[in-house]
Amino acid sequence: MSESQDAVPRRTFLKAAFGIGTSILVGGLELRFAPVIEAAVASPTIANCDTWGAAPSTEPITVLSTKPNKILVHHMANANTTDYSLTHAYQMARNCQQSHFNRGWIDTGQQFTISRGGYVMEGRHRSLEVLRGGTQHVRGAHCDGQNDVAIGIENEGTYTSAQPPAALYNQLVALCAYICQQYNIPSREIYGHRDFNATQCPGDQLYALLPKLRSDVAARIGDGGGNPIVWPIVQRGQSGERVKTVQYLLRARGNTLTPDGVFGTGTETAVKSFQTSQSITADGVVGAATWEVLILTVRRGDINEAVKAVQSQLVSKGYSVTVDGNFGAGTETAVKSFQTSRGLTTDGVVGKNTWNALVS
Ligand SMILES: [Zn+2]
């Protein structure tokens, strides 16, 4: 059965408030009004753990004092049921929690779950209250290397060949928009599980919908959209500046390998060891999951091996800087010039976006 996505109307609130703002005289009667356009995104209805009958977590939930920086979309790889009822949704959430207990996890792995009928539920305990607060993050168990920074949404069903039902998709848009608003996450920071781990999740069909999802969320929160960050794959057998960057960054973590720009067994071993230390699958391949924890934000005044990586990249792009690991005025000027050339915020600080542009 072919199921299409309904167009989502842009949700903008137009309020006419009396008593503030402009006043005009109409036939001697003074009218005061102020049209206020708010970008506020309302939360979809989200059933908390008590409502759907969750069992208690087996250990206390970890709540981090940092905000998440992205959303990861999953499919549950379970049946594409045609039971769209609330009763079914709650049973499915309980089944999911039980299967995650069976994996040895302390609770449901993801922060939120959406049923095929379009019911949105809290996954891991405390996820909803923490989302409402907008300043903290519940550590999940849904994606290696990303659990401290990503909110996971599990979508009931299997979307390798089937399309998600409109009811589910519409609630996914609503939930993502609300999460983005609560944490000020850009709409382009919505990814599929496969962008970070070796998995088919969330299935080819749901994965193919992510550009539409980002643009539908962008329309709701009004952040202008944009493309997601894509990291290059760096692995054994390659050579060049990108490899050198990986080597400098590994050195910044205490490794002593030679930054020769050649990805041999020594570099592979160092990558695997770093991946293990970060609880990422130790495959020796530097992809998105590894890049995101390997990069270090550097700025003027910093002196380290990560600065050398930046300087070496800048030299390879024609900038005249010395590769000495000392982030001084000359390096800052070159970084700003590079940022301007790539349409990035020209702040001279090498963070995620600038690192990505340097190695892409
Ligand atoms: Zn997944």
Side-chain angles (χ1 to χ4, degrees), residues 14 20 69 81 123 159 168 229 272 305:
L14 184 67
I20 52 170
N69 61 21
T81 178
Y159 302 110
L168 183 154
I229 282 188
K272 285 181 180 175
E305 295 291 307

Side-chain angles (χ1 to χ4, degrees), residues 328-348:
T331 300
E332 188 180 53
T333 300
V335 167
K336 285 183 177 175
S337 169
F338 173 73
Q339 289 173 327
T340 301
S341 75
R342 297 304 176 97
L344 299 165
T345 305
T346 308
D347 57 6

Side-chain angles (χ1 to χ4, degrees), residues 216-292:
D216 287 345
V217 170
R220 290 234 182 159
I221 65 175
D223 77 339
N227 296 320
I229 282 188
V230 176
W231 292 96
I233 300 292
V234 185
Q235 57 193 335
R236 190 169 165 187
Q238 295 177 344
S239 60
E241 194 56 42
R242 243 180 231 158
V243 174
K244 209 183 274 186
T245 297
V246 168
Q247 292 171 326
Y248 276 127
L249 288 169
L250 288 166
R251 285 172 62 85
R253 306 293 184 155
N255 200 286
T256 56
L257 55 80
T258 307
D260 58 4
V262 179
F263 202 124
T265 52
T267 302
E268 189 177 53
T269 302
V271 169
K272 285 181 180 175
S273 155
F274 174 73
Q275 289 171 325
T276 300
S277 75
Q278 299 292 317
S279 304
I280 305 170
T281 306
D283 58 4
V285 178
V286 181
T290 304
W291 275 116
E292 296 223 348

Side-chain angles (χ1 to χ4, degrees), residues 74-75 142 154 193 201:
H74 302 264
H75 73 169
H142 60 92
E154 282 283 1
H193 186 187
C201 181

Side-chain angles (χ1 to χ4, degrees), residues 5-18:
Q5 288 74 49
D6 293 338
V8 181
R10 181 173 181 148
R11 186 171 296 188
T12 305
F13 300 99
L14 184 67
K15 288 185 178 176
F18 288 88

Side-chain angles (χ1 to χ4, degrees), residues 89-160:
Y90 288 180
Q91 182 63 52
M92 181 270 293
R94 291 191 294 270
N95 294 347
C96 175
Q97 186 191 30
Q98 204 56 54
S99 74
H100 289 181
F101 282 145
N102 294 344
R103 294 186 187 195
W105 298 352
I106 63 169
D107 197 356
T108 299
Q110 73 278 7
Q111 285 80 6
F112 297 99
T113 309
I114 306 177
S115 76
R116 281 171 57 83
Y119 291 103
V120 183
M121 292 159 283
E122 184 177 38
R124 182 155 291 201
H125 282 85
R126 301 199 60 191
S127 297
L128 184 54
E129 59 166 282
V130 165
L131 173 63
R132 297 281 190 237
T135 59
Q136 299 172 301
H137 175 60
V138 168
R139 173 182 288 156
H142 60 92
C143 179
D144 287 346
Q146 292 292 313
N147 289 317
D148 285 359
V149 292
I151 289 208
I153 302 174
E154 282 283 1
N155 296 281
E156 183 188 18
T158 302
Y159 302 110
T160 47

